[in-house]
Amino acid sequence: MRSHLDRFFSAWMRHDPDKMAAFYTIDAIMEDPTLQEPRKGRESIREYYRAMFESLEDPEHDLLDYASRNDRIWFEWTFASGGTKTPRVSYRGVSIQDIPDGLIIHDHAFWSPNDD
């Protein structure tokens, strides 16, 4: 599972929505506090990453710690964005991913967009 996280965070830092979508099954579900409803399907998830990467200034995402059992992984992370155009903000959260056959079928993030 560590190799999955290394590849996932490396792809995220390249800010490439196609590479990020490739981690998910065609019918995957993504839940995040910033979404009014879960994203369903690889294409919808790809669009989520595209819009996010385009809207953020100098985004960063770092892995802090993780645990796994069977096909599930829990990981703690930090996220930051901003700089010269927008104030720099940072968040800390936890995600749970279900990865039964090497691809994410369910990705659920837990964090508060209002915390600094």
Side-chain angles (χ1 to χ4, degrees), residues 43-104:
E43 183 55 31
S44 178
I45 292 169
R46 188 196 74 71
E47 177 57 26
Y48 166 83
Y49 283 113
R50 184 201 61 74
M52 180 186 61
F53 292 143
E54 285 182 4
S55 71
L56 297 173
E57 179 185 4
D58 198 22
E60 296 179 6
H61 201 17
D62 292 308
L63 175 65
L64 298 177
D65 201 2
Y66 76 99
S68 64
R69 184 174 58 206
N70 301 324
D71 295 332
R72 178 172 277 187
I73 190 164
W74 298 262
F75 55 99
E76 184 179 11
W77 47 263
T78 60
F79 166 82
S81 71
T84 57
K85 299 175 190 169
T86 60
R88 190 89 176 149
V89 294
S90 61
Y91 307 99
R92 189 175 185 143
V94 173
S95 291
I96 301 171
Q97 292 179 345
D98 293 306
I99 314 168
D101 293 313
L103 293 175
I104 302 164

